[in-house]
Amino acid sequence: VGTLRSQGFEFSVAGNLTDRIELFGGYTFTDATITESSDPANIGRRFANIPRHSGSLMLTYLVTSRLQVGGQVYAQDRLYGGTQLAGTASVPGYARVDAVVRWRPIDALELRANVLNVFDQTYYDAIYRSSSPFAYIAPGRSATLTASLRY
């Protein structure tokens, strides 16, 4: 392909809105383009599968001193696909909702449940081009349970 340059900026927020409500979020702008190539027609073209705009916002609420619940919205804009260079084939942007619950039954133990893609929305991770474009469907709803023990 040649040389790729990715530049942009990120804006983030983090803090407590109240004693019980925490907010985390961010927005990212990425301009990923080809700066050098053996094919001069590729210079200035976008690199495939890198969203120009993406962001997330997470809010957590401390129900008790040992129980916290929260939710997050993650969104990104349209992806343009190709093998390396972005072509005209694309998949739409999306917004996904995730959830988390943290419980600390004793000081040394934390149990955390995460659910990604709560509403089981269909969206695409990437799009490629060979003889014809094809896209990868992102995983549907998934859940994890994590136990952390401090000793």
Side-chain angles (χ1 to χ4, degrees), residues 65-145:
S65 63
R66 297 194 175 273
L67 178 65
Q68 185 178 41
V69 298
Q72 171 179 269
V73 174
Y74 172 82
Q76 72 177 44
D77 70 347
R78 178 172 294 277
L79 284 180
Y80 289 88
T83 51
Q84 294 158 340
L85 300 172
T88 57
S90 67
V91 292
Y94 66 91
R96 179 189 80 215
V97 176
D98 305 327
V100 63
V101 175
R102 291 184 182 132
W103 178 46
R104 189 176 295 269
I106 59 174
D107 289 342
L109 177 65
E110 179 183 274
L111 301 174
R112 183 175 64 235
N114 290 84
V115 178
L116 302 179
N117 197 4
V118 170
F119 299 112
D120 201 21
Q121 176 185 353
T122 299
Y123 63 95
Y124 301 91
D125 276 334
I127 180 170
Y128 295 98
R129 177 145 183 97
S130 54
S131 59
S132 62
F134 64 96
Y136 288 112
I137 296 175
R141 181 184 310 117
S142 63
T144 59
L145 180 61

Side-chain angles (χ1 to χ4, degrees), residues 13-31:
V13 295
N16 291 12
L17 297 177
T18 69
D19 292 354
R20 295 184 177 271
I21 299 174
E22 294 178 322
L23 178 72
F24 305 93
Y27 164 78
T28 302
F29 172 81
T30 306
D31 181 25

